[in-house]
Amino acid sequence: MRGRRTDTIVARATPPGRGAVAIVRLSGPGCRAIAEAILGQCPPPRHAVLADFRAASGEAIDTGLALFFRGPASYTGEDLLELHAHGSPVVCDELVERAVQLGARLARPGEFSERAFLNDKLDLTQAEAVADLIDAGSRAAARAAQRSLAGAFAAAVHGLNDAVTELRVYIEATIDFPDEEIDPLADAELAVRLADCRARFDAVQAAAAQGRLLRDGITLVLAGEPNTGKSSLLNALAGYEAAIVTPVPGTTRDPIREYLAIDGLPVHVIDTAGLRITADPVEAEGIRRTEAALATADLVLHVRDATQPGEGGVVPAAGDAPVIRVINKIDLTGQAPGEGEAGEVRVSARTGAGLAELRRVIREAVGFAGADAGTLSARRRHLEALADARRHFDAGVVELETRRAGELLAEELREAQQALAGILGEFTSDDLLGEIFGRFCIGK
């Protein structure tokens, strides 16, 4: 255990508003006493009891089910009480107020899951998977979060960490016995261990990258000159009329944002004002917003008009984001749809020709392999920690190969272990915990 909490927290665990049932949840050492005060008795552990929920005056606030879980056999690892009442906001507020009168305090966002983590009921990847499961926007994302909640991601990281640990132990053993005069570069077993670590890093990083894409998706910006069919392309990708389309150039002024899925990949699409030099202050502001959207893009579709030859006019400044050149309106020129020269993709937003190929190119541009059964839920911080661990591993290998410095490899492996431990929360700053759990909903 990382340390018991001495206070008791309370919060509504179901969404605000009216409904058939609402749940008020409490966790902490005061749950038993609060249950006795509100219910007249503490229910037997893990047995649902029908009871009156009473105010301080003895008057019934509501009648519902009560569940008591004795710590550590509970979600939080502490005594935990749930009051299942009718879904009236007034009733829920009265129950929360009554619990506060009896010594509880209002829970912070994510504090129940934070206590589960601090009491070793969940590691940090599992706690984050709880929030990811609640926020999942697709079946694939929900399944990935469930796999991480079940411990699949943690198991992969543990396996990688074990391989790094075994390699470090092996290296330090050779350092401790220098009289053996073993040439590390000629050591076949060391070569096998290094190859195993590389393969494990590759596998875990690839799985985490896919999981992060599935969880967070990408920001895709449609940019180009006016009247090239950007809004029509947005509508074609979305499958409905998300944007107004007219023959008048410059119809789109403010960026239009839509959320859609491209073959399982969550995509935040931003349709922007056409890029051109203009004296119109309203259109100029729209272009400024286009440039701001480009600065946030993970991928840019530079849309051009197939009926207008040339270099495509103003080229969007996309920063580090890759740019896919899309030639639209091929139904007016007779060009064949699909991928063409120099990576261009020829499409017709009006007829749908070439859109399947464009979807494939979008997936490949961001490295999305698909929402298959093995995908895990992962976050940007996981990718950064894995990359940090991989940098230390690679740096150590370089020291070994260039200077035969086994002791430097061992030190880099120690740093890699620290980075991997941060993923699971074994060495985690309070600031990071606050940031992670502060994004949870209250009552979870």
Side-chain angles (χ1 to χ4, degrees), residues 82-100:
E82 288 186 354
L83 304 177
H84 295 232
H86 291 94
S88 163
V90 174
V91 169
C92 283
D93 288 346
E94 283 196 68
L95 290 174
V96 171
E97 289 173 10
R98 178 66 176 134
V100 171

Side-chain angles (χ1 to χ4, degrees), residues 9-280:
I9 56 175
V10 61
R12 178 173 177 163
T14 45
R18 291 173 173 80
V21 177
I23 300 174
V24 173
R25 173 182 281 175
L26 300 94
S27 181
C31 283
R32 182 180 293 275
I34 292 174
E36 291 173 350
I38 294 179
L39 309 173
Q41 63 171 339
C42 182
R46 299 179 175 272
H47 284 76
V49 174
L50 180 66
D52 291 332
F53 305 151
R54 298 196 175 276
S57 64
E59 181 183 2
I61 298 172
D62 193 9
T63 300
L65 293 178
L67 281 163
F68 176 71
F69 301 87
R70 181 184 296 150
S74 70
Y75 175 71
T76 60
E78 305 170 337
D79 285 354
L80 189 143
L81 177 68
E82 288 186 354
L83 304 177
H84 295 232
H86 291 94
S88 163
V90 174
V91 169
C92 283
D93 288 346
E94 283 196 68
L95 290 174
V96 171
E97 289 173 10
R98 178 66 176 134
V100 171
Q101 289 173 2
L102 293 167
R105 66 166 174 81
L106 297 177
R108 293 179 281 102
E111 191 168 2
F112 289 88
S113 293
E114 182 181 15
R115 290 190 174 201
F117 164 70
L118 293 173
N119 291 326
D120 296 326
K121 303 299 290 186
L122 301 170
D123 67 37
L124 200 51
T125 63
Q126 290 174 304
E128 290 169 309
V130 170
D132 294 344
L133 184 58
I134 293 171
D135 293 336
S138 67
R139 291 181 180 178
R143 287 194 295 269
Q146 179 58 45
R147 283 190 287 272
S148 290
L149 179 56
F153 186 33
V157 175
H158 276 300
L160 173 58
N161 189 59
D162 288 345
V164 172
T165 300
E166 291 171 6
L167 176 60
R168 180 184 169 193
V169 169
Y170 185 79
I171 288 293
E172 290 183 346
T174 63
I175 296 172
D176 290 339
F177 298 97
D179 293 340
E180 298 293 333
E181 296 184 357
I182 298 174
D183 181 359
L185 297 182
D187 186 347
E189 183 175 351
L190 176 58
V192 170
R193 291 176 183 271
L194 288 171
D196 178 56
C197 278
R198 286 194 188 94
R200 287 177 181 270
F201 266 114
D202 290 342
V204 176
Q205 285 183 289
Q210 292 301 303
R212 189 253 165 178
L213 284 172
L214 189 60
R215 176 187 179 273
D216 296 335
I218 64 167
T219 297
L220 174 68
V221 175
L222 303 176
E225 291 194 309
N227 211 31
T228 57
K230 298 184 295 297
S231 296
S232 296
L233 183 58
L234 167 60
N235 292 345
L237 290 172
Y240 54 87
E241 293 188 2
I244 297 173
V245 175
T246 73
V248 179
T251 300
T252 300
R253 299 295 180 93
D254 287 337
I256 298 173
R257 302 171 187 272
E258 286 293 318
Y259 176 86
L260 53 93
I262 295 180
D263 299 336
L265 172 66
V267 181
H268 305 268
V269 183
I270 304 177
D271 178 23
T272 62
L275 294 168
R276 64 177 175 181
I277 299 173
T278 177
D280 182 342

